Amino acid sequence: MTLRTAHTAGLAPGELDAIRALLDDAFDGDFGDEDWDHTLGGVHALVHDARGLAAHGAVVMRRVRYRTRWLRTGYVEGVAVRRDVRRQGLGGAVMGALEEIVARAYDLGALSASEDGAALYAARGWRAWQGPVLALGPEGVVRLPEEEGGTYVRSGGGTPDLDLGGELVFDWRDGDVL
């Protein structure tokens, strides 16, 4: 098995097709075009084996307001492991590569965890955000109650001392604000 990181711009069309197919399968068809769009434009961690793409994750740039400061945030997207190689440490390998990027390039790491993924992230030191989660949308700041309880954060290179019960305001992107 090999692990490599590459920016979206460095991936061949066939690699992008393989990533999308893996994500569609891993999320049981509940991975839409907006989800795909959110996965692009950052750095991808890819694990390949003899059968092809075995695991994937990406970290993309977002801005998050915490108190009076907008933090440069590495947001983790599209973490998935092929069904036949799950529970073999590949998700952890992908996350390790993404966490290194977050630590070196961002003030904060953040992600939205599924119920299945939450245990992996918590075991790796990601902390569940306890306070309100909001987004700065076209009409102003909008609360995202569906993200509360499932948003996890991790210190980056410049993270202030976080109050996990405080308010996080994410930059808006399609699919986040109804």
Side-chain angles (χ1 to χ4, degrees):
M1 298 220 185
T2 61
L3 181 133
R4 86 178 223 274
T5 59
H7 190 277
T8 300
L11 298 173
E15 288 179 293
L16 291 169
D17 292 343
I19 294 167
R20 179 64 192 258
L22 173 68
L23 295 171
D24 285 340
D25 182 61
F27 289 94
D28 295 320
D30 191 26
F31 190 84
D33 291 341
E34 288 172 340
D35 298 315
W36 176 241
D37 187 58
H38 298 168
T39 304
L40 302 175
V43 178
H44 301 257
L46 306 109
V47 176
H48 287 87
D49 64 10
R51 291 193 51 216
L53 183 62
H56 169 271
V59 62
V60 299
M61 166 74 174
R62 293 194 69 185
R63 290 282 183 182
V64 175
R65 189 184 76 200
Y66 173 72
R67 295 187 176 159
T68 61
R69 183 175 166 205
W70 284 94
L71 302 174
R72 190 178 60 256
T73 301
Y75 199 86
V76 174
E77 294 281 4
V79 176
V81 176
R82 202 175 63 223
R83 292 178 194 275
D84 65 315
V85 290
R86 289 184 181 161
R87 307 280 184 248
Q88 295 181 26
L90 300 184
V94 164
M95 287 304 298
L98 299 178
E99 290 161 359
E100 178 71 18
I101 293 164
V102 168
R104 297 182 65 177
Y106 295 99
D107 298 321
L108 178 70
L111 57 83
S112 179
S114 66
E115 287 183 32
D116 292 337
L120 168 68
Y121 305 127
R124 297 189 61 79
W126 291 78
R127 299 180 297 163
W129 192 259
Q130 303 300 314
V133 177
L134 306 103
L136 179 58
E139 305 298 321
V141 176
V142 177
R143 192 158 184 183
L144 303 175
E146 68 280 0
E147 295 298 327
E148 294 175 1
T151 297
Y152 283 69
V153 297
R154 181 181 180 96
S155 296
T159 304
D161 191 22
L162 296 172
D163 168 13
L164 295 177
E167 180 180 275
L168 287 181
V169 180
F170 286 84
D171 57 350
W172 178 82
R173 57 193 185 163
D174 290 340
D176 287 345
V177 181
L178 303 176

